[in-house]
Amino acid sequence: MNIHQLDINKLQELETPLYYYDMQLLANTLDSAKKAADKRGFHIHYALKANFNDRVLQLIQSKGFGADCVSGNEVQKSIDSGFPASKITFAGVGKSDKEIILALKQEIFAFNVESIQELLVINELAEQEGVKAHVSLRINPNVDAHTHHYITTGLDENKFGVPNSELEKAAAVLRACDHVQLLGLHFHVGSQITDMNVFKSLCVKVNEWKNWFEERGTTIHVLNVGGGLGVDYHHPDEHPIPDFEAYFEVFDKFLERNAHQEVHFELGRALVAQSGTLVSKVLYTKNGVKKNFLILDAGMTELMRPALYQAFHKIEKLGDSGENEQINYDVVGPICESSDCFGKEVLLPTAERGDYIAIRTAGAYGEVMASRYNLREEIRYLYSDQIG
Ligand SMILES: *Cc1c(COP(=O)(O)O)cnc(C)c1O
């Protein structure tokens, strides 16, 4: 059941704040993505960093997705959750030796390598372990994702990827390293991208770099174009499932590939964001001189995106009869930071202590970023399939 069908009486038996997961919507979203990808022969690795809740992971794994990891613990978590090692990729600018060794021992599908130095370290550790590491080179394509600068990753000034000026050298290093095998190329230009032209620009760059390598006699088996597809934070009910058809169609149309080349994706947010809602209770209302405040029992410790990137989340009062007058509230949390604010001047029905407030589209980069700052309680959950 969706968040609006949730019985307030049920909530009253539980402690808040809590993360509510609509498991049916998650299943439908996953099916929609899988269908659109399968029909084009595309592979999707779910980016664990968006949400590594056990129930969420179980469902994603059961639908046949691979996993995209950015730490050794995420690699381990994917294995423990049943993702086959042959479908696990490992990215990140700062992989430690311990993390690399773990991934080598597990024989994962590919390391997405971000520098020549890292390539040499992987080669050395693979030799030590007596294995051959499969790698994709992460190339920074200098494509502007037109998204918030904190979540733009594909520009020359970003820390990610092998700098273009070093690719010639990287290709030579790869030829010289006996314990790494180049699988392909990897790209990821940013997150919450809603303009399909960005992905079209990415395809153009991928084609260029693919040709560049092939002209130098290097075989490219895998084109990994990363993730980044955005969701509609403003209209979660109108657009609960992203338009995966349109997204994959861009790549199908603009990516040049030979029969032996696989196309891989690393979607995080688009698969999980709309299925999660942070449910909170109004602790206090404060009508100041200039502002009306709603003070919630949830704060930036449960959902940091607004404080971290001024992110917008739709805020709703649950179980409202529709009879209350609407007024503007600053909706804030209890944490001792002025940035602990979910929304300013949010038009909501007049609310009272004890009312429930939903913060929507919180399924991605929500609970994974939770902290114990102020010695807050552990995150609590409610899954839609737990209630009748
Ligand atoms: C974060 C990340 C992703 C997932 O990004 P979304 O915007 O959640 O789809 C994919 N690949 C890499 C390398 C990442 O760092």
Side-chain angles (χ1 to χ4, degrees), residues 45-50 68-70 89-92 112 114 138 151 153 160 186-193 224-230 247 265-272 364-365:
H45 302 261
Y46 165 63
L48 253 81
K49 76 173 193 281
D68 170 47
C69 305
V70 289
T89 54
F90 183 14
N112 293 331
E114 310 232 5
R138 178 163 181 180
I151 51 176
T153 56
F160 301 98
H186 173 242
F187 303 81
H188 174 70
V189 293
S191 202
Q192 185 51 21
I193 297 165
N224 182 334
V225 294
L229 176 62
Y247 170 69
F265 294 81
E266 302 169 335
L267 292 174
R269 186 192 311 271
L271 297 176
V272 292
Y365 307 105

Side-chain angles (χ1 to χ4, degrees), residues 339-380:
S339 61
D340 184 28
C341 175
F342 290 116
K344 287 192 171 16
E345 303 286 321
V346 184
L347 192 62
L348 288 170
T350 314
E352 293 169 23
R353 175 175 163 82
D355 282 341
Y356 289 96
I357 299 293
I359 303 172
R360 304 291 306 277
T361 321
Y365 307 105
E367 65 157 305
V368 282
M369 287 192 186
S371 85
R372 301 295 303 278
Y373 184 43
N374 289 198
L375 202 46
R376 297 277 289 168
E377 303 254 2
E378 301 267 2
I379 297 287
R380 297 183 195 81

Side-chain angles (χ1 to χ4, degrees), residues 111-122:
F111 290 85
N112 293 331
V113 173
E114 310 232 5
S115 70
I116 292 178
Q117 199 172 26
E118 184 192 332
L119 200 56
L120 293 169
V121 170
I122 293 177

Side-chain angles (χ1 to χ4, degrees), residues 181-202:
Q181 159 95 51
L182 183 74
L183 269 188
L185 306 177
H186 173 242
F187 303 81
H188 174 70
V189 293
S191 202
Q192 185 51 21
I193 297 165
T194 49
D195 177 359
M196 291 302 122
N197 286 313
V198 170
F199 294 116
K200 190 176 153 187
S201 305
L202 171 62

Side-chain angles (χ1 to χ4, degrees), residues 144-152 189-193:
D144 190 345
H146 299 295
T147 182
H148 190 279
H149 61 282
Y150 280 9
I151 51 176
T152 294
V189 293
S191 202
Q192 185 51 21
I193 297 165

Side-chain angles (χ1 to χ4, degrees), residues 207-317:
N207 295 339
E208 283 173 19
W209 283 113
K210 182 181 85 97
N211 292 338
W212 189 93
F213 275 88
E214 286 175 347
E215 281 161 13
R216 281 157 183 77
T218 307
T219 311
I220 301 297
H221 301 283
V222 171
L223 298 170
N224 182 334
V225 294
L229 176 62
V231 298
D232 191 342
Y233 281 93
H234 289 267
H235 309 99
D237 294 318
E238 291 85 341
H239 299 128
I241 299 180
D243 191 348
F244 293 110
E245 257 303 313
Y247 170 69
F248 289 120
E249 184 55 25
V250 171
F251 292 91
D252 207 3
K253 203 161 153 195
F254 296 103
L255 211 56
E256 293 161 7
R257 58 198 194 274
N258 313 332
H260 71 277
Q261 276 163 338
E262 292 182 0
V263 185
H264 290 238
F265 294 81
E266 302 169 335
L267 292 174
R269 186 192 311 271
L271 297 176
V272 292
Q274 296 292 20
S275 303
T277 299
L278 178 59
V279 178
S280 173
K281 203 151 69 171
V282 176
L283 290 177
Y284 301 101
T285 58
K286 202 185 258 193
N287 299 316
V289 183
K290 290 188 173 164
K291 292 270 193 184
N292 300 305
F293 290 100
L294 280 188
I295 301 165
L296 306 184
D297 61 3
M300 62 190 283
T301 41
E302 285 69 45
L303 179 65
M304 191 162 61
R305 297 187 69 257
L308 187 62
Y309 345 90
Q310 296 108 33
F312 174 90
H313 284 264
K314 187 167 187 193
I315 300 172
E316 294 171 317
K317 182 178 161 188

